[in-house]
Amino acid sequence: MSLESSILFVGDPCPEVKAAANALTQDCDYRVIMASHDAEATDVLNDAHVDLVLADVENRDCDVVAFLARLRFTHPDLVRVLLIGDEADARLNEALARTAAYQYLTKPLQAEQTCLVVKRALETRELARRHRHLVRELKIGEDAQFAHIRTDVPSKGDARHFERLVYASEVMAEVCGLAREVARTDLPVLIEGETGTGKELLARALHFHSRRTSSPLMIQNCGGMRDELLHSELFGHKRGSFTGAVSDRLGLFRAADGGTVFLDEISEVSPSFQVSLLRFLQEGEVKPLGSDVTMHANVRIIAASNKPLKQLVKAGQFREDLYFRLKGFELEVPPLRARPDDIPVLTEFFVRKHGGLLSNRVIGVTNDVLNVLRAYHFPGNVRELENEVRRMVALAKDGEYLTRRHLSPALAKLRVSAPSDGLGFKAEGKTLKEMVESLEGQLVHRVLEKNRWNQSKAARELGLSRVGLANKIRRYALAEGKPGLS
Ligand SMILES: Nc1ncnc2c1ncn2[C@@H]1O[C@H](COP(=O)(O)OP(=O)(O)OP(=O)(O)O)[C@@H](O)[C@H]1O
Ligand SMILES: [Mg+2]
């Protein structure tokens, strides 16, 4: 397993550069990759994980300053260091400003100085990473202040809260009720639900409702991370014990001792990491990389997945023993389209949140807009609703109502008929038989959506046999995700 940091050098591999690259490899255990110009460097960045780029500003084959300036946006975590000749002050200042470089080194490049600057730059990046963690916690705290303020946005039913979760629907009341119960225990919890449904908010609510509330809650997204990095994030590592391990890392399990660790996108971890995690769940033992000492951490694990883990287990992609360890208790957050009653209260909450943030006072939301939002199928769930409302608020002028013209084009063109009853169904057809059938189709569709197309559960809820339900699906040509629009 390797944790070495990678340095990309862009420029002419002259003897001083080769000497510095040698020192970075031999003395500091970094991996050095050479590229002579920007196109080659871009290929490297697409193929390999790179931590720091050191680029010669005087490269004749490309505009290095423009290249580094682009990297600020395409690879924001990459540390940029300039190598300069005898640039005039004004040119150097401009290059530093455009590239937001961490530092510059002057020619001829000196090996020892290069190692020191690179090492310091990577330490600074590690500090920035920890800082980001804390800022994220603070930002979430800031959002909380909007949770208990009412606006004059029309809404049906009162908003209820579970920590920072806002809801009005019965299904969410049920989920939050279960969560409150399980919060009191120390059981591991597995939260499943589509993307953007609020799994992370629910995990936070669980922690802050548990007796661990005064200890830390640490969050780790397991998606898209190399095994060794994930290992070091969770279990920690010792400085110098690993190639490129520039400073000690405590690891989230120990940093959260007494508290909770939330493992997001748990379905993404590799088979070998699943073994490490299982061992931790069984024994509570933490052994940082490069350390002989085994320590213990008392943390509660909450894991989340937007892919049903059970199916991954069946397909042999997730260990069954780990699955059973993680799901001490299971919570499923339903998709937003299965709980339209949450839409008005969430809209109200987001109008307040973003209206306040953008100092742009919106006096309300028309019923027409609420009807469109209720009818839309929101594949991105609450996150998508929040983005939509944020966009509408940004477009509105002071003192305006949010109307259909503020909606994004995809939603603005939806034709919805006003709900004909309190449940949002509309009877279609001329004869009683046609109307009853149209209502039946809509009702069956809603129950299927609510149960995420689990036909056994839906059939049970509707009091039908599985075959009976399958007949109705065929009869009404029902399909997953199809919005109930006219
Ligand atoms: N019930 C809710 N009340 C208020 N805000 C919510 C609610 N549900 C979700 N949100 C907001 O929607 C966004 C997405 O929520 P969250 O990150 O918890 O979803 P997720 O299920 O973890 O998504 P993913 O699977 O993509 O990680 C966040 O900005 C969150 O604040
Ligand atoms: Mg999440």
Side-chain angles (χ1 to χ4, degrees):
M1 194 188 304
S2 156
L3 255 182
E4 65 189 0
S5 298
S6 297
I7 319 296
L8 172 63
F9 177 80
V10 187
D12 175 27
C14 63
E16 297 93 54
V17 165
K18 283 188 181 150
N22 239 353
L24 286 167
T25 318
Q26 304 294 327
D27 305 345
C28 311
D29 288 328
Y30 296 123
R31 186 160 78 111
V32 179
I33 311 170
M34 307 290 252
S36 51
H37 49 76
D38 57 350
E40 207 177 317
T42 306
D43 286 346
V44 172
L45 290 170
N46 287 338
D47 288 348
H49 176 86
V50 174
D51 299 283
L52 180 145
V53 60
L54 170 60
D56 184 352
V57 174
E58 290 178 330
N59 193 314
R60 278 184 303 270
D61 300 331
C62 65
D63 182 348
V64 164
V65 172
F67 169 64
L68 291 180
R70 269 199 311 278
L71 290 186
R72 287 177 67 180
F73 303 101
T74 56
H75 295 74
D77 283 341
L78 190 61
V79 186
R80 296 167 297 279
V81 178
L82 304 181
L83 176 59
I84 60 157
D86 47 2
E87 259 75 13
D89 278 354
R91 251 192 87 201
L92 173 60
N93 289 347
E94 193 206 328
L96 285 171
R98 278 184 66 200
T99 60
Y102 170 76
Q103 229 344 334
Y104 64 86
L105 289 162
T106 45
K107 287 183 187 172
L109 196 57
Q110 289 169 29
E112 201 176 327
Q113 195 184 36
T114 310
C115 291
L116 279 174
V117 166
V118 167
K119 194 169 160 203
R120 184 59 47 81
L122 292 176
E123 277 170 2
T124 307
R125 193 179 72 144
E126 168 66 12
L127 280 179
R129 196 187 62 88
R130 291 185 195 180
H131 178 252
R132 265 201 308 276
H133 248 297
L134 294 173
V135 168
R136 183 173 143 146
E137 291 306 305
L138 277 176
K139 167 84 185 62
I140 291 274
E142 225 173 58
D143 288 355
Q145 62 184 295
F146 300 104
H148 300 281
I149 307 170
R150 289 195 61 84
T151 66
D152 51 359
V153 176
S155 70
K156 281 186 196 154
D158 276 336
R160 286 183 266 180
H161 303 273
F162 180 32
E163 293 289 325
R164 283 149 213 177
L165 278 166
V166 180
Y167 61 94
S169 64
E170 281 314 309
V171 264
M172 277 306 282
E174 207 177 294
V175 173
C176 293
L178 286 172
R180 280 173 209 273
E181 295 285 314
V182 74
R184 287 194 233 122
T185 73
D186 243 354
L187 288 172
V189 181
L190 175 63
I191 305 177
E192 292 192 329
E194 288 180 16
T195 182
T197 44
K199 297 185 293 297
E200 182 171 332
L201 280 195
L202 185 61
R204 287 174 184 278
L206 268 166
H207 170 76
F208 291 112
H209 252 68
S210 74
R211 59 188 170 77
R212 294 172 178 265
T213 179
S214 51
S215 299
L217 164 70
M218 292 285 178
I219 295 179
Q220 179 62 48
N221 191 322
C222 304
M225 266 199 130
R226 286 188 292 151
D227 256 20
E228 55 268 36
L229 272 184
L230 190 56
H231 202 110
S232 128
E233 289 285 342
L234 292 176
F235 294 92
H237 67 232
K238 287 229 43 93
R239 177 175 188 221
S241 57
F242 256 84
T243 47
V246 286
S247 55
D248 277 359
R249 187 174 286 172
L250 184 58
L252 293 192
F253 284 145
R254 288 187 51 234
D257 198 19
T260 308
V261 171
F262 174 53
L263 300 175
D264 205 357
E265 295 196 41
I266 191 73
S267 61
E268 302 302 308
V269 299
S270 72
S272 74
F273 198 78
Q274 290 178 29
V275 177
S276 310
L277 216 48
L278 181 66
R279 209 170 306 135
F280 173 71
L281 281 163
Q282 282 167 341
E283 322 290 344
E285 286 181 354
V286 181
K287 200 168 161 199
L289 293 173
S291 162
D292 305 329
V293 191
T294 302
M295 285 161 278
H296 283 85
N298 166 10
V299 295
R300 178 195 210 168
I301 301 287
I302 302 178
S305 172
N306 47 34
K307 295 182 190 150
L309 277 193
K310 198 172 173 183
Q311 281 175 23
L312 297 182
V313 169
K314 267 195 202 143
Q317 288 160 11
F318 200 88
R319 290 183 71 104
E320 189 171 34
D321 43 7
L322 179 58
Y323 170 60
F324 283 119
R325 279 274 167 183
L326 290 171
K327 64 159 203 155
F329 197 89
E330 276 176 296
L331 291 170
E332 181 151 345
V333 189
L336 187 56
R337 62 184 163 280
R339 43 183 167 113
D341 289 348
D342 285 345
I343 285 179
V345 294
L346 283 170
T347 304
E348 172 180 330
F349 170 61
F350 293 137
V351 165
R352 165 56 73 175
K353 182 174 160 187
H354 297 294
L357 289 179
L358 301 171
S359 4
N360 199 354
R361 283 204 54 255
V362 168
I363 56 170
V365 182
T366 61
N367 272 324
D368 179 38
V369 165
L370 284 181
N371 286 336
V372 172
L373 295 174
R374 284 179 72 107
Y376 180 59
H377 63 298
F378 283 109
N381 293 295
V382 185
R383 181 178 294 115
E384 190 181 355
L385 173 65
E386 177 163 10
N387 289 341
E388 183 66 29
V389 174
R390 185 194 292 126
R391 185 180 177 281
M392 293 176 82
V393 170
L395 290 180
K397 300 205 184 69
D398 271 4
E400 261 190 340
Y401 271 91
L402 296 182
T403 63
R404 193 178 269 258
R405 71 186 169 82
H406 297 110
L407 283 166
S408 57
L411 274 89
K413 67 173 189 248
L414 290 183
R415 282 185 307 115
V416 281
S417 20
S420 61
D421 63 24
L423 297 170
F425 294 129
K426 180 168 186 294
E428 278 163 8
K430 293 198 184 77
T431 64
L432 178 63
K433 182 165 180 287
E434 281 167 1
M435 286 195 268
V436 169
E437 283 187 344
S438 109
L439 287 174
E440 186 179 61
Q442 293 171 53
L443 191 59
V444 172
H445 185 259
R446 180 174 295 182
V447 174
L448 279 162
E449 287 283 322
K450 185 175 137 200
N451 288 292
R452 303 180 75 194
W453 281 76
N454 179 325
Q455 295 191 19
S456 310
K457 280 193 194 164
R460 211 172 308 129
E461 187 170 335
L462 289 163
L464 292 170
S465 66
R466 289 244 0 217
V467 177
L469 177 61
N471 286 338
K472 300 227 182 276
I473 292 174
R474 215 170 316 120
R475 171 134 146 238
Y476 299 118
L478 301 178
E480 197 165 354
K482 195 173 114 190
L485 302 173
S486 63

